[in-house]
Amino acid sequence: MTAAGTPIAVVTGASGGIGAATARQLAAAGYRVVLTARRKDRVEALAAEINEAGHQATAYALDVTDRQAVTTFATAFRTVAVLVNNAGGALGADPVATGDPEDWRRMYEVNVLGTLHVTQALLPALTASGDGTVVVVSSTAGHSTYEGGGGYVAAKNGARVLAETLRLEIVGTPVRVIEVAPGMVKTEEFATTRFRGDAEKAAKVYAGVAEPLTADDVADTVTWAVTRPPHVNIDLLVVRPRAQASNTKVHREL
C-alpha cells in the first residue's frame, strides 16, 4: 500500500483494450493503479486521464518478456494488493501444418512467460499485503481448441495451467488466484494485430455478431472478482457474448 493506505493494483498490457478498461475500473473502485505496457506514450496518457478524473494512476513502460526489466520494476513495491496479468495476444490463424514457429514462440513468451515473470516478481509483495490477488486474463481459447488457433490455444492453455498450479501451490497464503477467460471480445487492436494489420480479415471475425463483448464488459468481470470479500476466490470466470455458445458456434445475422 501507499503511505495513505491506498491499495495498489498493477495491470499489465494496459496501453489499450481490456487492460486499459480494467485500469480505469480498478481506479474508480479505489485502487492506485500502476499501468504497464511497452508503449510508454499510451500508458502515460491513460495515467493522466485517470488522475484528471480524480483517481490515482502511475505509468511504467515495461516489456513483460524482459525478465530483468520486470525484476527491476518489482523492486519499487513493498506491498501490492492486485496483479492483473493481462498482457498477451494472438498472432496468425494458420493451421498447425503451416504455422510459423516464430509466431508460436512470441505468443508463448508474452502470454505464458510474461505472466510468469511478473507473477514471480510481485508474489512477495502480494503476500506481504496480507490480502493479495493474482488475476490471469486467459481466454476461452485456453479451454477449447479451434481450427487455425493452435499456437494461441497452446499459449492460453499455458496461462490457464499456470493459474491453476499457482493456486494449488500457494493455498494457505493470503493470496487468491483468479482466472478470467473471455470469449469473443471486440477491441480496437486484438484481431487487427492477429492478422498483421489486415482490417478486412479482422472485420470478418465479428461479422454479423450483433453484440460481441467489449473491453469494458471484461473489465467489469475482473473488477467484480477482485472486489469480492477476501475469503471468496473466483477460481474461473468464463464470459462470452450471448451470441457465442462456444469457440466454434457463433450466431451471426448475415
Side-chain angles (χ1 to χ4, degrees), residues 11 22 25-26 28 82 128 147-148 166 183 191 209 252:
V11 182
T22 298
Q25 292 200 27
L26 287 176
V82 175
E147 293 168 291
L166 179 64
V209 180
R252 298 179 188 271

Side-chain angles (χ1 to χ4, degrees), residues 2 7-8 21 26 38 40 52-53 56 62 98-99 113 119 126-127 129 159 163 168 179 196 248:
T2 64
I8 295 172
L26 287 176
R38 290 176 298 174
K40 182 180 179 182
E52 287 169 7
Q56 299 180 62
L62 182 68
T98 57
L113 295 182
T119 301
L126 286 155
T127 305
S129 74
L168 293 172
E179 179 190 354
R196 297 175 174 82
T248 57

Side-chain angles (χ1 to χ4, degrees), residues 199-219:
E200 185 176 349
K201 282 186 178 181
K204 287 181 179 179
V205 173
Y206 312 104
V209 180
E211 292 182 287
L213 296 178
T214 67
D216 283 329
D217 292 329
V218 181

Side-chain angles (χ1 to χ4, degrees), residues 28-83:
Y31 291 91
R32 177 167 76 85
V33 292
V34 179
L35 317 172
T36 76
R38 290 176 298 174
R39 293 178 292 185
K40 182 180 179 182
D41 58 330
R42 296 283 293 268
V43 287
E44 286 182 343
L46 179 58
E49 172 198 317
I50 291 171
N51 288 323
E52 287 169 7
H55 307 305
Q56 299 180 62
T58 304
Y60 193 102
L62 182 68
D63 180 351
V64 297
T65 68
D66 184 336
R67 177 76 179 199
Q68 185 55 55
V70 171
T71 299
T72 300
F73 165 73
T75 62
F77 305 98
R78 181 176 61 83
T79 65
V80 171
V82 175
L83 165 61

Side-chain angles (χ1 to χ4, degrees), residues 166-177:
L166 179 64
R167 189 182 302 116
L168 293 172
E169 293 172 344
I170 65 172
V171 67
T173 71
V175 179
R176 302 180 293 186
V177 181

Side-chain angles (χ1 to χ4, degrees), residues 109-136:
E109 285 188 347
V110 66
N111 289 284
V112 184
L113 295 182
T115 297
L116 178 67
H117 294 330
V118 183
T119 301
Q120 286 183 334
L122 290 179
L123 194 55
L126 286 155
T127 305
S129 74
D131 178 20
T133 301
V134 176
V135 178
V136 175

